[in-house]
Amino acid sequence: MKQDIERVLITRQEIDQRLDELAKQIYDDIIADSPSCPDNGTPIIPDITLVPILTGSIIFVADLIRRLPLKMQIRVMSVTSYPGTATSTKGASVEAALTRLPERLDGHHVLIIDDILDSGNTLKLVKEIIAKKNPATLRSCMLLRKQRPEALAEACEYIAFDIPDEFVIGYGLDYDDYYRNLPEICTLKPEVYENDL
């Protein structure tokens, strides 16, 4: 597997450090939004509902939630945008069989978590679906954002890393369902995928 890697873009150490920072930022924002207890003025910390987008976000989500000392629910969604050996998005569509959203999210503080923001289609679709369920707040968190106009135009509260507009693998991201288990974020050698273009 390692022989297929062209280069490492983001190391595991860089990911660990950035996730510490990101978790603190998320936690601080939630505390800032929380009402205070009338008796002693301490914040009343709300429950949060995390909505990870399968499958690319699973490693990111697992590492991030262990850094968040909050009471939380996890409600997954499955959205397909890079089927099989595709190296560019083919449009976002929800896979209902793997999606576990309740009918309503009234009063819930929702955080969408996904692996990569490139076309903006997945995030836009998921936001629209969740907004109709009436959450108290709706935020989004991305591991990666590609430096391309569509990605930069889509609002997202938390971005771990901005990257060049390249196809990447590792740390949950795949090519044809492989390479998710790499601990770093990498690019593939062109000969690995060029026959599929």
Side-chain angles (χ1 to χ4, degrees), residues 22-93:
L22 198 60
K24 183 180 185 312
Q25 184 183 357
I26 293 167
Y27 180 81
D28 288 349
D29 288 350
I30 289 170
I31 295 298
D33 282 352
S34 303
S36 295
C37 178
D39 297 334
N40 58 21
T42 59
I44 301 170
I45 302 172
D47 299 355
I48 64 169
T49 299
L50 303 181
V51 181
I53 308 303
L54 298 177
T55 302
S57 72
I58 59 173
I59 295 173
F60 177 40
V61 169
D63 285 347
L64 182 64
I65 65 173
R66 286 180 285 203
R67 291 168 161 88
L68 288 171
L70 298 164
K71 188 174 178 183
M72 65 182 69
Q73 296 180 337
I74 298 177
R75 304 285 191 166
V76 300
M77 285 188 74
S78 181
V79 180
T80 302
S81 57
Y82 280 85
T85 58
T87 57
S88 60
T89 183
K90 303 300 179 189
S93 62

Side-chain angles (χ1 to χ4, degrees), residues 91-105:
S93 62
V94 174
E95 294 185 38
L98 297 175
T99 295
R100 296 287 180 262
L101 286 180
E103 286 297 313
R104 303 290 300 171
L105 285 165

